[in-house]
Amino acid sequence: MILDTLHLTKETLREEVEKMKSKGYRFVTITCLEIDEDFVELLYHFDKDLELIHYRMQVAKGTTMPSVSTIFFAAFLVENEIYDQFGIKFDDLVLDFGGTLYLDEDEEEVTSTPFCRYSVKRK
Amino acid sequence: MLKKLIEKSQIKSPWIVHYDCGSCNGCDIETLACLTPLYDVERFGVLNIGNPKHADVLLVTGTVNHRNKKVLKNIYDQMSDPKLIIAIGACGLSGGIFKEAYNVVGGVDKVIPVDVYVPGCPAKPEAIIDGVVEGLAKLGELQQQNKTDAIAS
Amino acid sequence: MSKTIIPFGPQHPVLPEPIHVSLTVEDEIVTEAVPAFGYVHRGLEKLAEKKDFNQMIQVVERVCGICSMIHAMCYCEGLETLMNVEVPRRAKLLRVIWSELHRIHSHLLWLGLYADAFGFESVFMQFWKIRERIMDINEATAGNRVIVSVNQVGGVRRDLSPSQLKWILDEITVVEKEMKSMESTMLNDYTVKKRTVGIGVLTREMAYELGASGPVLRASGIAQDMRQLKYEAFDELDFEPVVEQDGDCYARGVIRFRETMQSIDIVRQAISRLPQGDTFVKVKGKPEGEIVTRVEQPRGECLYYIKANKTKFLDRLRIRTPTFANIPPLAAMLPGIELADVPVVILSIDPCISCTER
């Protein structure tokens, strides 16, 4: 069983999200999962009248993504979380914790990405 | 005379401060349940307060992680001697089910010395009350020790 | 007037859990509130790589002790769909009974803490006294007061005997009666209204756009409840989402009070429709594929994303909990209110930090 998803790229992301907002959809969350050594997958979930719509996108590890938190304020928490756990950085975050949302700044962990099996150095 | 009064009242009416370190809430709500009508520890003179500087007993629930260990150490340092530390629940004892998780340091005793361990997942209110009563005997011993230390120095 | 920054938490008498909020205050008015997290983060989703999918049930139960049963229910439901397991009807209704009992005890707990936040301690004691009856039911039927580990992939571990069902009905009737006696205090009392009406207002548009969920969303006039998705046995149970229009702290209190009464009604319905039969089916094989499941927790909508690859260990488990969704509305609610109202507003979203950070 595979989720029905719509395709998305880094370039069309903001545009599509703006469109979803004007259609009256509500931002639910972003799921990040590791595919292999070099790639992660981002799933954007939107909801309207109990109906979920998922967008899928593959990005290379260490990429900087455009943030959707300027469109949906609610996204800032989950984008910070993904930076903590997978090292995907988001530009123009409304509230940037700089990789210390959960992880402590004094510990070594902050420089690693705990949710990746193949750890990447964060920039 | 005042000293004697304080010593006696510390045992007869211990003041408690509760800190949730990283538990799943199970132990927290059981600790709170101790204060409510069914268990009502206040009938034994046990009082829950928010200020660590006033407290004699520190109840800690949950696992210690890298960020809250500083807060825990801070609260411990703010309490005046003699003080009693009680770790509650499987997580507070050893890390419990979360022991293997990446952000978990382990039990409370990795950071501060613990006097009484209360097991259970979550620990029952009866067990927590029993732990506090057990601990009070130890608090008496600590008071004695402090006295002999003071005389020796 | 110069600005002052006041740290709130992580250890604070009002909060049972550690959350830190930096409040920028001008005079007595909060102008900015920045939350900080990480005091409860354990990295629980990552444990899916170390514990197999059956052991993970025990782990997800401990995401949050207060709604543990509903977490496990959501997780099991996802795996059952992936493995094409048809759960017996009796098991589905038993799950509903336990999950609604959990909702009652969670709301009672919150009503108590909420009263404590604005200094009404006798109400706190009263609600927690009522709550003990539900805890007794949990202990007698499942063996644990808080974490009732009744779920397994394919059904439930425990059954309820006819005498137990009768006893539960008796107990919830008493709970209902005791709740009714609290109604005038909670809904009409002068002190309660003085501290809650018009405080921390979240308009309908704001609530929707900021992604609020559960009672916070419904208090702002949007009738969205995940139980409308008809998961488990909710397809045959009668229920309407509880809605209030004002969007202030008072409305959020009323919502939870009315939902408690509604849950009592749902438990009654579920018990009256309980069929005879098995409580679980044997499950063979390993899960494969990916799925999103959603359930309604006492605090709101909970979303599980599960990806499995036909091995013992799940590929990815992602949990989006209701408080995670309610933090942005909270950050929007805080500016503009008085410092003394901050604890009441923070508690009004029913924050569950161990859910948020996992």
Side-chain angles (χ1 to χ4, degrees):
Chain A
M1 191 169 169
I2 296 291
L3 283 179
D4 283 336
T5 52
L6 300 165
H7 191 68
L8 204 63
T9 62
K10 195 176 153 184
E11 286 72 35
T12 59
L13 170 68
R14 268 167 187 274
E15 206 180 302
E16 284 287 328
V17 174
E18 293 263 17
K19 240 186 252 167
M20 292 305 273
K21 189 175 182 178
S22 57
K23 273 192 236 164
Y25 277 84
R26 196 164 67 95
F27 174 82
V28 179
T29 195
I30 310 172
T31 302
C32 188
L33 38 138
E34 192 181 30
I35 308 266
D36 55 22
E37 241 170 286
D38 303 314
F39 283 95
V40 293
E41 200 169 71
L42 291 171
L43 284 164
Y44 285 74
H45 310 278
F46 294 92
D47 163 279
K48 187 185 179 184
D49 301 333
L50 302 171
E51 204 71 48
L52 273 178
I53 284 197
H54 318 277
Y55 280 97
R56 197 192 290 269
M57 152 166 55
Q58 279 201 7
V59 288
K61 276 183 188 170
T63 359
T64 307
M65 292 284 299
S67 165
V68 297
S69 67
T70 43
I71 306 165
F72 284 106
F73 177 67
F76 82 91
L77 255 183
V78 68
E79 287 181 346
N80 273 301
E81 185 184 290
I82 289 170
Y83 184 41
D84 263 31
Q85 296 173 339
F86 292 91
I88 304 287
K89 202 167 163 41
F90 289 86
D91 265 346
D92 313 322
L93 265 172
V94 179
L95 208 62
D96 198 347
F97 288 89
T100 55
L101 177 68
Y102 293 150
L103 306 176
D104 202 82
E105 51 279 0
D106 297 344
E107 296 297 322
E108 252 178 48
E109 273 183 335
V110 170
T111 51
S112 72
T113 46
F115 267 62
C116 293
R117 284 188 197 93
Y118 317 97
S119 186
V120 278
K121 229 355 184 219
R122 238 172 18 185
K123 285 167 228 158
Chain B
M1 218 223 19
L2 189 67
K3 229 179 189 172
K4 247 190 183 149
L5 185 74
I6 292 173
E7 266 173 27
K8 197 175 172 195
S9 51
Q10 212 173 21
I11 306 282
K12 288 284 178 193
S13 172
W15 286 17
I16 281 177
V17 63
H18 165 232
Y19 180 61
D20 166 16
C21 238
S23 91
C24 70
N25 279 345
C27 296
D28 300 325
I29 55 179
E30 295 295 63
T31 311
L32 267 178
C34 291
L35 307 168
T36 54
L38 191 69
Y39 298 98
D40 195 17
V41 285
E42 232 170 281
R43 68 199 150 128
F44 303 124
V46 180
L47 219 65
N48 186 38
I49 48 156
N51 193 338
K53 285 183 179 164
H54 298 168
D56 307 307
V57 182
L58 172 62
L59 299 180
V60 191
T61 52
T63 61
V64 179
N65 73 18
H66 290 294
R67 185 165 280 176
N68 68 28
K69 74 180 178 197
K70 291 179 224 161
V71 183
L72 181 61
K73 189 87 182 53
N74 201 349
I75 291 174
Y76 178 79
D77 289 341
Q78 282 181 32
M79 289 171 68
S80 57
D81 277 323
K83 49 196 164 193
L84 186 73
I85 315 298
I86 301 177
I88 296 170
C91 304
L93 267 53
S94 66
I97 196 165
F98 308 123
K99 200 176 180 181
E100 289 166 304
Y102 68 86
N103 203 27
V104 170
V105 178
V108 175
D109 52 7
K110 290 260 168 70
V111 183
I112 55 173
V114 176
D115 298 303
V116 182
Y117 297 87
V118 181
C121 185
K124 289 189 70 171
E126 289 96 334
I128 297 170
I129 296 170
D130 192 43
V132 174
V133 173
E134 260 328 277
L136 292 179
K138 180 134 188 204
L139 197 63
E141 277 170 38
L142 283 174
Q143 279 178 351
Q144 284 304 319
Q145 206 186 333
N146 271 15
K147 242 189 237 167
T148 47
D149 284 357
I151 292 165
S153 65
Chain C
M1 184 67 203
S2 64
K3 283 182 184 172
T4 321
I5 295 178
I6 298 180
F8 185 89
Q11 195 258 343
H12 191 277
V14 154
L15 300 169
E17 286 183 278
I19 181 177
H20 179 88
V21 185
S22 289
L23 300 166
T24 312
V25 182
E26 271 179 56
D27 252 351
E28 282 284 298
I29 309 291
V30 177
T31 53
E32 204 189 340
V34 179
F37 305 90
Y39 298 99
V40 199
H41 181 60
R42 291 151 290 187
L44 205 144
E45 293 166 2
K46 184 79 176 160
L47 276 180
E49 281 164 23
K50 290 178 178 150
K51 300 193 190 281
D52 70 42
F53 68 90
N54 279 320
Q55 288 173 320
M56 275 311 281
I57 297 173
Q58 269 67 44
V59 177
V60 296
E61 270 167 1
R62 284 159 180 81
V63 169
C64 162
I66 307 175
C67 29
S68 65
M69 190 272 159
I70 308 178
H71 268 293
M73 184 171 83
C74 186
Y75 174 78
C76 289
E77 210 187 281
L79 283 183
E80 280 150 11
T81 322
L82 283 182
M83 295 161 90
N84 295 320
V85 178
E86 184 53 42
V87 180
R89 197 74 199 158
R90 187 176 174 89
K92 284 186 172 175
L93 277 154
L94 285 172
R95 278 182 183 173
V96 169
I97 293 171
W98 269 303
S99 71
E100 290 308 308
L101 284 172
H102 252 73
R103 197 181 312 277
I104 299 170
H105 109 70
S106 173
H107 280 342
L108 284 171
L109 175 139
W110 178 84
L111 285 163
L113 286 177
Y114 181 57
D116 196 39
F118 53 72
F120 209 148
E121 206 175 324
S122 67
V123 172
F124 164 65
M125 292 292 181
Q126 287 296 332
F127 276 121
W128 279 62
K129 195 181 121 207
I130 303 172
R131 179 177 164 269
E132 286 297 335
R133 288 189 189 275
I134 308 292
M135 305 311 275
D136 282 348
I137 296 177
N138 280 351
E139 191 171 13
T141 55
N144 198 330
R145 278 163 54 89
V146 180
I147 295 177
V148 297
S149 201
V150 289
N151 284 294
Q152 66 179 21
V153 181
V156 287
R157 280 173 216 278
R158 284 171 190 264
D159 201 359
L160 294 176
S161 66
S163 61
Q164 272 177 326
L165 289 171
K166 195 181 165 297
W167 176 65
I168 292 175
L169 282 175
D170 291 346
E171 285 288 286
I172 59 170
T173 312
V174 180
V175 170
E176 193 178 26
K177 213 176 106 212
E178 286 177 332
M179 284 293 285
K180 286 231 170 88
S181 71
M182 295 300 292
E183 196 172 348
S184 62
T185 314
M186 207 58 208
L187 305 184
N188 299 324
D189 190 81
Y190 174 75
T191 10
V192 175
K193 280 194 163 171
K194 188 93 183 155
R195 287 304 304 271
T196 54
V197 172
I199 309 276
V201 177
L202 196 66
T203 59
R204 191 189 158 93
E205 292 72 34
M206 264 165 78
Y208 190 75
E209 197 190 310
L210 292 169
S213 74
V216 181
L217 184 66
R218 291 195 286 278
S220 297
I222 298 171
Q224 187 168 351
D225 190 315
M226 287 307 130
R227 284 175 286 180
Q228 288 167 315
L229 285 172
K230 314 229 177 279
Y231 61 84
E232 299 303 342
F234 279 103
D235 46 355
E236 62 167 300
L237 298 173
D238 242 3
F239 112 99
E240 275 292 313
V242 181
V243 187
E244 288 286 325
Q245 302 299 331
D246 297 341
D248 55 1
C249 290
Y250 178 73
R252 292 191 271 277
V254 175
I255 288 267
R256 283 172 178 115
F257 192 92
R258 286 174 54 199
E259 271 186 16
T260 316
M261 302 306 246
Q262 186 190 48
S263 291
I264 292 172
D265 181 51
I266 294 177
V267 172
R268 280 212 191 100
Q269 286 184 41
I271 289 179
S272 68
R273 284 160 195 234
L274 201 63
Q276 292 301 318
D278 287 335
T279 53
F280 67 96
V281 283
K282 261 217 156 104
V283 177
K284 282 201 189 104
K286 308 266 171 6
E288 191 186 13
E290 57 179 353
I291 191 160
V292 171
T293 42
R294 291 194 290 173
V295 297
E296 182 76 15
Q297 281 189 342
R299 286 163 189 75
E301 163 198 0
C302 173
L303 180 144
Y304 268 62
Y305 172 87
I306 301 168
K307 189 178 183 194
N309 52 2
K310 229 175 168 75
T311 57
K312 251 169 61 179
F313 301 99
L314 298 178
D315 238 15
R316 175 88 165 106
L317 173 69
R318 161 113 173 91
I319 308 165
R320 204 297 310 256
T321 53
T323 310
F324 197 88
N326 283 335
I327 294 280
L330 174 67
M333 261 186 257
L334 283 174
I337 60 165
E338 280 185 36
L339 185 62
D341 292 326
V342 170
V344 181
V345 173
I346 290 187
L347 264 181
S348 79
I349 68 156
D350 199 355
C352 175
I353 310 303
S354 70
C355 267
T356 313
E357 300 176 4
R358 304 173 301 280

